[in-house]
Amino acid sequence: MTDSKGSGAGSRATAGSKRQRLMTATAQVVHRQGVERTTIADIARAADVPVGNVYYYFKTKDELVAAALTEHARQLSTLTDRLDALPDPRDRLKGLVAAWVGQRDVAARYGCPTGTLAVELDKRAEGGLDVEAGKVIRLLLDWVERQFGALGLPDPAGLALTLVGAYQGMSLLSNALRDPGVMTSQGDRLLAWLDSLDAASAVSHPG
Amino acid sequence: MTDSKGSGAGSRATAGSKRQRLMTATAQVVHRQGVERTTIADIARAADVPVGNVYYYFKTKDELVAAALTEHARQLSTLTDRLDALPDPRDRLKGLVAAWVGQRDVAARYGCPTGTLAVELDKRAEGGLDVEAGKVIRLLLDWVERQFGALGLPDPAGLALTLVGAYQGMSLLSNALRDPGVMTSQGDRLLAWLDSLDAASAVSHPG
DNA sequence: GTCTATAAGGGGATAGAC
DNA sequence: GTCTATCCCCTTATAGAC
């Protein structure tokens, strides 16, 4: 359809470029302002696209929000692809935590992009976008679960919920208290916890 | 001002009763629909108060939201007061976790009332309600910190962030995945973690 | 104190010119 | 493909009758 490249000779790549700009702009602006308080005009301005033209690329606001979710999924797989290059699964998980802590200022100001979006979409009855948000989070959970599984630890799914849950929790608290230090201190605890996990002894909980 | 009782002889207690009904109704409806998608009409209907009459008790929508936060703080202190009756601080914390798990169906459907509200209010630039949400979460953090302190554990503030963060995280995941089982399984891990904490050995992280 | 009618403003979406 | 003008609905908040 209205894909980025290779379609017509006359239209050039501007169409795809504008569409992509709208996607990333939506992801950014929605993260900062929330879905409900973000207007089409806000997105158009951020993407440097004329207001009325937005509807040529996305028929509804919901489609724009769905595009933001896709964008988050894309950024997530960029990160996990990079971490997959590490030989030790434990180092991959520690690298993930390090990436989270590296985003501490953004987290303190606006929270986790995917997590806060999931919270907001849950309150939207129509459209089924809430389910889509859950799928993006599932991508992360599954990747983390594979790492715990590769380490030979018992209940890798439960451990994945604990690690990702800890991230969502510390992001929310850091955001609510406006304190990036929460990300740093809790991140240190997570790293120590990951180091302490042993395939032999089954440490039960979140820490 | 327009307080619940003791003012005029002629006005009776209906004024306070309506005001209270509006507060609890706001807390409930906002939890389910979110702030932005909740209209004054929704709240009026839930509280069984005529729409136009709402403005007699609360001048703006923001005042209603602030009232919802107060309501959450009140419900929180009801819970901690009950837990304070237990002699052992560890049992108090385990009772807190049990209370969270007991609310698993609500959490899976709508998330943590205070946490989701904090996320939403953070996106509201004006009014400073985001700071108020942080204060309510602080109340819980401080209470939890006092329990860890009473147990003689090192870094009680860090432990409090870990425990409350774990709750916020599991609520968010349970909600995003629409799975109450997350609350149960992660709650079990938290209980085991609390049992394992020892004043002598310093277990570093969240679990 | 209680309630109705309505003013005022904003935002999503569309029609159609260029 | 691009952009402007505009329709229409919804929501907050107020004025003022009862």
Side-chain angles (χ1 to χ4, degrees), chain A residues 31 33 36-37 110 122-124 126 130 155 158 162 165 169 175 178 186 189-190 192-193 204-207, chain B residues 31 33 36-37 110 122-124 126 130 155 158 162 165 169 175 178 186 189-190 192-193 204-207:
Chain A
H31 182 207
Q33 306 186 352
E36 305 294 340
R37 296 183 79 87
Y110 303 113
D122 173 64
K123 315 291 189 195
R124 298 199 119 193
E126 331 88 14
D130 48 350
D155 189 16
T162 298
N175 182 223
R178 289 284 155 74
Q186 295 297 302
R189 281 174 177 268
L190 280 177
W193 173 61
S204 56
H205 179 65
Chain B
H31 183 206
Q33 306 186 350
E36 305 294 340
R37 296 183 78 86
Y110 303 112
D122 173 64
K123 315 291 188 194
R124 298 199 117 193
E126 331 88 15
D130 48 350
D155 189 16
T162 298
N175 183 222
R178 289 284 155 74
Q186 295 296 303
R189 280 175 179 268
L190 280 176
W193 173 62
S204 56
H205 180 65

Side-chain angles (χ1 to χ4, degrees), chain A residues 56-70:
Chain A
Y56 178 75
Y57 297 97
F58 298 92
K59 293 193 218 332
T60 63
K61 187 179 179 181
D62 272 16
E63 278 189 26
L64 275 164
V65 176
L69 278 172
T70 304

Side-chain angles (χ1 to χ4, degrees), chain B residues 22 25-26 29-30 33-65 124:
Chain B
L22 284 168
T26 303
V29 178
V30 161
Q33 306 186 350
V35 176
E36 305 294 340
R37 296 183 78 86
T38 295
T39 69
I40 306 285
D42 289 337
I43 295 170
R45 189 166 354 100
D48 198 36
V49 168
V51 196
N53 203 358
V54 172
Y55 286 95
Y56 178 76
Y57 298 98
F58 298 92
K59 294 194 218 330
T60 64
K61 188 179 178 180
D62 271 17
E63 277 190 27
L64 275 165
V65 175
R124 298 199 117 193

Side-chain angles (χ1 to χ4, degrees), chain A residues 97-173:
Chain A
V97 172
W100 290 339
V101 175
Q103 294 295 307
R104 61 185 172 280
D105 289 328
V106 180
R109 187 60 195 82
Y110 303 113
C112 165
T114 312
T116 57
L117 187 49
V119 168
E120 228 186 332
L121 292 181
D122 173 64
K123 315 291 189 195
R124 298 199 119 193
E126 331 88 14
L129 281 177
D130 48 350
V131 179
E132 294 305 311
K135 285 181 187 169
V136 178
I137 292 180
R138 257 260 155 269
L139 290 175
L140 175 60
L141 281 169
D142 288 344
W143 183 87
V144 171
E145 178 178 344
R146 283 197 296 277
Q147 311 313 312
F148 280 125
L151 286 172
L153 293 167
D155 189 16
L159 290 170
L161 284 170
T162 298
L163 183 61
V164 176
Y167 165 55
Q168 290 299 334
M170 69 202 228
S171 297
L172 191 149
L173 292 182

